[in-house]
Amino acid sequence: MASQREKTQLGRQQAMSSDAIMITPDERDAAEKQISDQTKRIDFYITEYSVEILANKMKSGEYIVPTYQREFTWEHERKSKFIESLIMGLPIPFIFFWEMEDGKLEIVDGSQRLRTLEEFLLKGYRLGELDQLSNVSYFTFDDLPESRQRKIRNRSIRGIVLNEHADEAARLDMFERINTGSKNANTAEIRRGALAGPFMNLVIELAADERFARLAPMSVKSKDERGYEELVTRFFAYGDGLNKYRDRPSDFIFDYVKNKNTLFRDRPTLSEEYKRRFQETLDFVERIFPNGFRKTATGKATPRARFEAIAIGSYLAVQAKPEIKDLDRSQLDVRMWLESPSFVKVTGSDGANARARLEGRINFVRDQLVQE
């Protein structure tokens, strides 16, 4: 037997195609009561704490990470980027708390930001390579000048504290609403969305190549984050020249893709030319390099710096010395230098995006192949 509420909803659904829905006074009163009840569940006040206080409260256990929160999954790059934003004085999103009965604050949203602050200020966390503040790359907090340390400690971040009316269901609901679609898009995803066009279409097509996946394996997470599209784009962008490169790969590649989309529209035959370049490079790498782009025969990951060195270095070597294009491993043995300390050094992660390092690893492979 359907309830009166179900009958009312059914009647509305049937009337949706017309403007015949009439809201009764009782329905209006029920709606107002529901709004009032839900509002009470999320009553709040606003706070503002310095970064120093926030970090110390995390350390002392004043802030509690609840069971419904996801694991601390920020990778090294994202933590470094957050600290870079903090140092630069960029706005930091609100932290959401719930005030527990004992006066401690449960973190509804912002635990990863707070844990990163604690790591950096109090636990000796060392930054990775930074984009805007390249001279601060690989610093710890204590490596900064004392005056800068004080400025960072004194920076304030605002918080919203839910009062005791906010039960667990309300807190979980708020967390889910705050985080719906909040995963930051990486640069490959941004390019895919903002730079649709014939060149981008080619990148997407080549990124799905099965042989490429076999030669350059990567984790499911990296695949989902458009890792193969990033590698394909870098292959073309760096292979076409670094004259305008200023140690900012995201800006350089974004402009490159934008310009290539325009060029491909004007010259449609370029698509086949670039596809052939990519496939011929894979042919060469598959034939000459025993492990493809991997470090070992059983490797399940492809370091980006290693891919750039081998892929672009191979392409440039074939351009400089076309006769090596059809050689095999018995005629062009790369194993000696591929496992050498020199190659390991030039494909290391330190300063990986600096132009000198980028050119160094690409030219290392090119020169080794050409002089064989």
Side-chain angles (χ1 to χ4, degrees), residues 7-121:
K7 290 178 181 178
T8 301
Q9 291 177 334
L10 179 60
R12 285 180 179 168
Q13 291 171 359
Q14 294 171 340
M16 283 296 287
S17 60
S18 69
D19 295 326
I21 296 178
M22 298 293 293
I23 304 298
T24 67
D26 287 345
E27 289 172 339
R28 188 175 291 109
D29 290 344
E32 177 56 31
K33 182 179 185 306
Q34 188 178 54
I35 293 171
S36 178
D37 290 344
Q38 291 298 320
T39 301
K40 288 178 181 178
R41 293 173 71 218
I42 55 172
D43 197 10
F44 65 89
Y45 61 91
I46 297 176
T47 65
E48 190 163 354
Y49 293 121
S50 70
V51 165
E52 182 176 31
I53 290 175
L54 291 171
N56 283 318
K57 283 182 175 290
M58 283 297 294
K59 182 180 180 181
S60 67
E62 286 287 306
Y63 295 156
I64 307 299
V65 180
T67 56
Y68 60 79
Q69 290 252 22
R70 64 176 180 262
E71 294 296 323
F72 185 39
T73 57
W74 271 12
E75 66 277 8
H76 185 51
E77 181 180 358
R78 191 169 180 185
K79 289 194 286 187
S80 295
K81 191 168 185 177
F82 170 70
I83 296 299
E84 181 182 37
S85 298
L86 177 76
I87 297 173
M88 291 172 63
L90 295 175
I92 304 300
F94 277 85
I95 306 293
F96 285 79
F97 300 101
W98 172 67
E99 190 172 45
M100 304 169 69
E101 289 185 4
D102 61 4
K104 293 182 178 181
L105 298 182
E106 177 182 284
I107 306 168
V108 176
D109 182 72
S111 68
Q112 299 191 34
R113 278 168 275 160
L114 291 173
R115 280 183 272 190
T116 300
L117 288 178
E118 181 190 4
E119 279 191 66
F120 185 59
L121 267 69

Side-chain angles (χ1 to χ4, degrees), residues 261-279:
N261 272 333
T262 300
L263 190 60
F264 273 45
R265 290 189 187 98
D266 295 338
R267 297 172 55 191
T269 57
L270 278 179
S271 181
E272 285 303 316
E273 180 180 324
Y274 273 61
K275 182 186 296 186
R276 184 167 58 254
R277 178 202 298 190
F278 184 78
Q279 295 296 347

Side-chain angles (χ1 to χ4, degrees), residues 36 70 110 121 125 177 198 213 228 273 279 326 328 333 359:
S36 178
R70 64 176 180 262
L121 267 69
Y125 175 74
R177 288 174 184 272
Y228 283 117
E273 180 180 324
Q279 295 296 347
D326 298 318
D328 59 30
D333 190 354
E359 289 180 328

